[in-house]
Amino acid sequence: MAKKRQTPSSKRSSRKARKAAAPTTGLTDFWEQIPLKYRHLIVLVFLLIVPSFIFSEVYFGGQQFVAHDIQQFRATAQSVIEYQEDTGEDALWATNIFSGMPSYTVIGNKAFTHLDTLLRQIFPAMFIPVFPFIFCLTGVYFFFWLMGYRPLPSALAALGICLTTYIPIIVGAGHNSKLIAYSWIPWVMAGYWMLSRSDKRLAGLFLFAIALNFTLRAEHVQVLYYFLFPLGIWFIYDGVAAFREKTLPDWSRRAALIVAAGLLALAANIQPYWSIYEYTPYSTRGGSELQQDAGTSGGLDIDYAFAWSQGRAELLTLIIPESFGGSSADGTYWGPKSFTSGPHYLGAIIFLLFLIGLVRAPGRLKYVFLGSGILTLLFSLGSNLYSFNSFFFHYMPFYNKFRTPETWLIVTVFSFSVIAAMGMKWIYDSWKDGTLSLRMLYLPGGIALAIALFFTLFTGSLLSFEKDGERQQIARQVAGQQNMRADDPQVRQFVNRYIEQEIKPQREEKATSDSRRFLIFILLGSGLIGVISLRIIPANYALAGLVLLAAVDLTQVGSRYVDKSGLISAGVSSKDALARQVRSIDRYIEQNKRDGQVWPWRTFPLGDNAFSNAVPAAFVYPSIGGYSGAKMSHYQDVIDHAIYKSPTELNMQVLNMLNTRFLIYPGPLNLPGWDVAYQGDEGAVMENRNVLPKAWFVDSLAVRPDPAVAIGELNHFDSATTAVLMDADPIPPITPTGNRSAEVTSYGPREIELIVLTDAPSFLVLSEIYYPKGWHATLNDEPVDIHRTNYILRGFEIPAGEHALKLRFDPRSHILGSRLSWIFNIIILLIGAAALAVHFRKNDEL
């Protein structure tokens, strides 16, 4: 006979029956005497206080995080923000980075104002990290409350999920969108639970849709993509269970609601995701044309995507955080990644309870989270489990759009923390019904203790404490400083002594110290569990002790890795913080960037790591560089293959065609055609005498449809007289003439207007980056083609005469997407209102 799925009411009845049948313990439990609602309140207040021990400067010190990535974002978004403040219209095109690119990945233009934007406006300084912690901790607690868990196991899960060290790390690094997206994931899980198991389907539909909505609004789709894996495994598990239990009709209806809620959330965010989806094939996330032409698939290059793969042995940091050193900032990290800000730490108490839950917790749901945890752990290895992960990279949809495999460990920690809470629940339930015995804890407790003892005793001999290639790297540095060869015996002797006597002992001490620390927490946790198994104290006292130990453990370790260099006064805006970094050389360019034109010249901040840094350049003037993880792929091709003719020679023709009038460097450079325009304490400004204007006519055309050939032309052509077309066949007929001119009369991120004059058919090059999705051109109000020119620019066929050339950026994805977002957000809110009405009506009937 098929097993019948329990309803919430039948579960409550069975719990009451077990409670009635439970033996008398003879121990007074004051916690149980507190009304349940006050126990919830006490635990929630405790949870919301715990993060303040890591971020006391924000909670109590009147400071805020304006970290590296926040400053990069603010500088990158400057042109968009200025335009929106001046006009009230969405810019959509960032003119100040990479010679211009869609702003979709720079700053979100959300069509619908929601709770998240309102809270940002009311609490701008405290929003990060305070509110994401509130969302995360209360979300986990609510999720476990729905599943019928008591306050203390729910609190343990909230600590493990929301205070794993990766969270403080991304706060300090300024990865705010990732933090916000992660903070809504527990609410997504809660919504799924309600839809798949609760009778309150309308409320479940609203919760799942609104939680997914907020996750998507954070615009860090990588986090949601990662958590679709445990959700997918859970969905399959429920489908199989329904088939076995012969409840497929009910499950089909629930599954339909789950899919509907997901589609509603996606539709509510169709703006900006439609625009992002439209842009992705043209970004570095869609892969380079040069790679695709060579026969590779779209998406990131696999070596680039697998950068920051977790080392196999480095997984030890899940339980012994500094077994591979600390962060790269303190110089002790020696793992396989090029650098790191800190480990993904699960926690000693969480690990102990995870083992107990894995071995003893009843039910099959734990295997959903175990499978999710193991799968994502394997994904985190990236190149260190190459055959396995390359298969998913090439065949799993969207897998090749994301990089940094170690980030998968956030799902691993989440999943294992769920099982840890299951373990704590089993301990209490077994204690309550009188079945808990010390013997039942031998296996999981013994495993935890054996691991702790093993690494306490043998860490020093097991690990090398030396990074691959480290000796050679240090030898090259020493040799360069001493004007010697790297293979000189004296250099080798110095390096060997330095590593063996200075570097390795420091790393070994960190590892052995954390191994001892791990052992202490395992002993303390095991002791608490042992005394309740012997019925010396009530279970809740020990469970509260475990929660406190977990809080101490995670806050201590998390505090190590918070980069507090980005802390500033809460009264100082990110704009003000950036303005303080502006130098006299930047001010000089700011004052001269227009030189009487309606459009600004561009600058090459060569001395500022131009193509991976936007501060302070992009904050003050348009740059040919910038900061973006998803810049346009054809622009990246030019950076890789055409900005430099050789490692030491700039390609002046490319700089000329990009309107690069200024170049910044720590000192004057001897560059043909460039003069020193300004020199200050911070560096020199070089001025380009041969820079081309915003628009110019050429004398000859070359058609090169092959991307590799077209980009090769940029290394040996005259950009002032020749244009290389990729999409014209046959070559448009043009006649070189001396009587021609092009004047830009209006310039902005949404619209550019020119007056062009020529007495013969001609071809005009516009120094604006080519992007086919949304830019429209008219000549005398008649549509004309925009030709892809010089690999990255725009070109136009101009007939004889005087004409008005207008370009307008109106992507349909944004215009229609905004309207649809409004509609579907309102639908979700109406579902929520209906769910509330049903709830209150049922209460009135009772």
Side-chain angles (χ1 to χ4, degrees):
M1 185 174 180
K3 183 180 178 182
K4 186 176 181 181
R5 182 177 291 191
Q6 282 187 311
T7 64
S9 59
S10 65
K11 289 181 180 179
R12 285 194 294 270
S13 299
S14 62
R15 284 199 297 268
K16 289 179 181 178
R18 287 197 304 270
K19 184 176 180 181
T24 303
T25 63
L27 299 173
T28 302
D29 188 343
F30 293 106
W31 179 253
E32 292 287 350
Q33 296 176 12
I34 301 172
L36 182 59
K37 62 181 179 181
Y38 293 120
R39 277 182 271 161
H40 285 310
L41 180 62
I42 291 168
V43 171
L44 281 170
V45 170
F46 167 76
L47 288 176
L48 296 178
I49 289 174
V50 171
S52 69
F53 289 95
I54 303 177
F55 302 103
S56 58
E57 296 88 350
V58 177
Y59 279 73
F60 312 116
Q63 293 185 286
Q64 64 175 321
F65 279 97
V66 182
H68 171 268
D69 276 26
I70 301 300
Q71 295 185 41
Q72 294 291 344
F73 154 75
R74 187 59 180 78
T76 297
Q78 179 64 15
S79 68
V80 179
I81 294 171
E82 281 184 345
Y83 183 81
Q84 291 172 340
E85 290 175 346
D86 291 343
T87 67
E89 185 181 21
D90 292 332
L92 305 184
W93 189 265
T95 59
N96 60 325
I97 57 168
F98 300 113
S99 302
M101 63 177 285
S103 65
Y104 313 136
T105 60
V106 173
I107 182 171
N109 299 300
K110 296 180 177 66
F112 193 88
T113 299
H114 239 311
L115 173 67
D116 51 356
T117 46
L118 290 174
L119 289 174
R120 278 181 178 273
Q121 293 167 5
I122 299 170
F123 306 99
M126 289 190 66
F127 186 85
I128 301 294
V130 176
F131 284 95
F133 274 119
I134 292 174
F135 303 150
C136 185
L137 291 163
T138 57
V140 175
Y141 195 84
F142 180 69
F143 175 39
F144 279 86
W145 175 80
L146 284 175
M147 291 196 295
Y149 279 57
R150 303 174 69 82
L152 293 174
S154 302
L156 180 90
L159 291 172
I161 288 169
C162 302
L163 287 180
T164 174
T165 52
Y166 187 69
I167 305 306
I169 286 171
I170 61 177
V171 171
H175 296 173
N176 291 355
S177 60
K178 185 185 294 184
L179 173 68
I180 296 168
Y182 182 76
S183 71
W184 288 110
I185 292 297
W187 292 97
V188 174
M189 296 290 183
Y192 179 86
W193 176 272
M194 288 189 73
L195 271 179
S196 62
R197 285 158 172 78
S198 170
D199 292 333
K200 298 179 179 179
R201 298 187 186 183
L202 192 61
L205 177 66
F206 169 71
L207 180 58
F208 193 57
I210 197 72
L212 275 174
N213 188 6
F214 282 128
T215 307
L216 287 165
R217 282 172 64 85
E219 295 185 28
H220 202 293
V221 71
Q222 182 173 2
V223 170
L224 180 57
Y225 179 80
Y226 285 0
F227 277 93
L228 288 179
F229 280 78
L231 278 171
I233 293 172
W234 198 354
F235 186 86
I236 294 169
Y237 164 82
D238 283 342
V240 172
F243 175 77
R244 289 177 174 174
E245 296 170 14
K246 302 188 184 307
T247 58
L248 272 178
D250 177 68
W251 168 246
S252 298
R253 290 189 290 271
R254 292 178 182 274
L257 288 175
I258 291 167
V259 173
L263 293 175
L264 271 174
L266 185 60
N269 287 274
I270 198 167
Q271 183 278 328
Y273 281 98
W274 185 358
S275 298
I276 293 173
Y277 177 78
E278 184 178 70
Y279 170 65
T280 297
Y282 301 94
S283 76
T284 52
R285 300 301 172 103
S288 166
E289 288 176 281
L290 304 178
Q291 294 174 330
Q292 293 169 22
D293 189 58
T296 61
S297 61
L300 295 173
D301 175 75
I302 192 167
D303 293 331
Y304 176 76
F306 282 178
W308 282 276
S309 294
Q310 187 80 353
R312 294 188 185 188
E314 197 180 7
L315 291 172
L316 182 60
T317 58
L318 284 167
I319 56 174
I320 303 175
E322 296 201 340
S323 52
F324 278 73
S327 70
S328 297
D330 65 12
T332 59
Y333 174 71
W334 59 275
K337 296 188 285 287
S338 55
F339 65 87
T340 186
S341 297
H344 289 256
Y345 179 55
L346 175 66
I349 300 300
I350 303 292
F351 177 70
L352 172 63
L353 290 166
F354 161 74
L355 291 175
I356 292 173
L358 186 61
V359 173
R360 293 299 179 188
R364 295 177 178 175
L365 185 59
K366 66 182 178 182
Y367 297 113
V368 169
F369 289 97
L370 177 65
S372 302
I374 292 174
L375 179 66
T376 52
L377 184 146
L378 297 177
F379 285 163
S380 77
L381 296 175
S383 59
N384 297 310
L385 194 62
Y386 190 85
S387 297
F388 178 82
N389 285 307
S390 64
F391 173 82
F392 283 90
F393 183 86
H394 289 111
Y395 298 107
M396 176 64 68
F398 303 110
Y399 191 98
N400 62 358
K401 307 299 181 186
F402 307 110
R403 62 191 298 255
T404 317
E406 68 155 351
T407 309
W408 283 101
L409 288 173
I410 61 174
V411 186
T412 304
V413 171
F414 187 107
S415 301
F416 288 177
S417 296
V418 171
I419 298 174
M422 292 177 176
M424 182 180 275
K425 182 179 184 297
W426 172 83
I427 292 171
Y428 178 83
D429 290 344
S430 300
W431 182 86
K432 192 70 175 176
D433 63 22
T435 60
L436 181 66
S437 67
L438 201 59
R439 184 184 300 275
M440 300 173 75
L441 297 168
Y442 285 168
L443 179 59
I447 293 172
L449 188 59
I451 291 172
L453 282 170
F454 179 80
F455 284 106
T456 299
L457 295 172
F458 301 111
T459 294
S461 57
L462 284 173
L463 303 176
S464 70
F465 303 106
E466 184 176 339
K467 195 176 182 72
D468 287 345
E470 188 172 30
R471 289 178 189 260
Q472 294 84 344
Q473 181 182 358
I474 296 175
R476 287 193 295 270
Q477 293 174 348
V478 173
Q481 293 170 356
Q482 301 298 321
N483 198 24
M484 301 170 69
R485 296 195 322 274
D487 58 354
D488 186 285
Q490 288 183 302
V491 172
R492 287 182 178 179
Q493 185 179 11
F494 172 83
V495 170
N496 291 339
R497 184 170 63 250
Y498 175 70
I499 288 178
E500 296 297 333
Q501 297 179 9
E502 301 290 336
I503 299 296
K504 292 175 71 171
Q506 185 182 7
R507 293 169 176 170
E508 184 175 354
E509 172 56 29
K510 280 181 174 288
T512 54
S513 175
D514 266 4
S515 297
R516 290 192 295 267
R517 183 181 183 280
F518 177 61
L519 175 61
I520 291 169
F521 273 100
I522 293 295
L523 288 172
L524 291 173
S526 300
L528 284 172
I529 298 170
V531 294
I532 62 170
S533 67
L534 298 173
R535 314 193 79 75
I536 297 174
I537 61 173
N540 281 315
Y541 293 3
L543 300 190
L546 290 171
V547 171
L548 285 171
L549 282 174
V552 170
D553 181 17
L554 291 169
T555 54
Q556 281 185 347
V557 175
S559 297
R560 298 176 186 177
Y561 306 109
V562 181
D563 181 3
K564 297 187 177 182
S565 62
L567 282 170
I568 63 172
S569 171
V572 178
S573 68
S574 57
K575 180 179 179 180
D576 294 335
L578 278 171
R580 295 174 180 177
Q581 300 183 52
V582 176
R583 306 157 295 188
S584 62
I585 51 177
D586 303 311
R587 293 299 180 202
Y588 174 84
I589 296 174
E590 182 182 32
Q591 294 164 8
N592 294 275
K593 65 184 179 183
R594 290 192 182 272
D595 193 24
Q597 306 287 344
V598 299
W599 49 273
W601 300 96
R602 297 190 181 108
T603 296
F604 186 10
L606 180 60
D608 296 334
N609 198 12
F611 300 115
S612 58
N613 176 44
V615 178
F619 180 68
V620 186
Y621 42 77
S623 170
I624 69 168
Y627 179 83
S628 173
K631 65 178 75 72
M632 299 192 74
S633 60
H634 60 12
Y635 198 87
Q636 183 64 54
D637 291 340
V638 170
I639 293 171
D640 293 338
H641 303 287
I643 286 286
Y644 290 90
K645 282 190 172 183
S646 70
T648 58
E649 182 185 3
L650 290 168
N651 188 338
M652 296 304 174
Q653 297 300 327
V654 171
L655 296 183
N656 291 344
M657 76 179 194
L658 290 177
N659 300 153
T660 314
R661 182 175 177 180
F662 302 107
L663 182 147
I664 293 176
Y665 201 70
L669 294 172
N670 183 20
L671 297 175
W674 294 71
D675 299 323
V676 177
Y678 177 85
Q679 189 166 0
D681 295 337
E682 305 98 333
V685 177
M686 308 291 295
E687 186 171 0
N688 184 4
R689 296 195 306 269
N690 300 317
V691 61
L692 290 168
K694 180 60 66 178
W696 69 96
F697 288 99
V698 293
D699 296 333
S700 63
L701 301 175
V703 176
R704 301 289 186 267
D706 183 273
V709 175
I711 201 168
E713 290 281 346
L714 302 188
N715 288 302
H716 51 78
F717 84 133
D718 183 350
S719 56
T721 61
T722 303
V724 180
L725 277 62
M726 298 183 65
D727 58 359
D729 188 18
I731 298 176
I734 64 171
T735 303
T737 174
N739 186 22
R740 55 191 183 183
S741 62
E743 178 188 1
V744 180
T745 57
S746 176
Y747 181 81
R750 294 292 293 272
E751 194 167 75
I752 303 171
E753 297 182 1
L754 303 91
I755 298 297
V756 293
L757 174 65
T758 176
D759 59 6
S762 300
F763 192 86
L764 181 75
V765 180
L766 179 67
S767 185
E768 289 294 312
I769 302 304
Y770 177 83
Y771 178 60
K773 297 295 184 178
W775 278 104
H776 309 282
T778 61
L779 193 67
N780 300 329
D781 296 326
E782 293 294 328
V784 293
D785 292 334
I786 303 175
H787 293 287
R788 182 175 169 186
T789 305
N790 295 354
Y791 202 78
I792 53 173
L793 300 183
R794 307 176 203 174
F796 307 88
E797 299 176 47
I798 306 296
E802 183 175 347
H803 310 281
L805 177 63
K806 296 181 180 180
L807 289 86
R808 177 75 185 174
F809 191 49
D810 276 326
R812 180 176 173 81
S813 58
H814 175 77
I815 297 169
L816 182 56
S818 297
R819 296 169 185 166
L820 292 173
S821 289
W822 269 91
I823 292 170
F824 287 104
N825 269 286
I826 291 171
I827 290 174
I828 291 173
L829 293 179
L830 288 175
I831 292 172
L836 280 175
V838 169
H839 172 75
F840 287 119
R841 187 178 64 190
K842 286 184 176 179
N843 284 347
D844 290 342
E845 291 173 355
L846 295 175

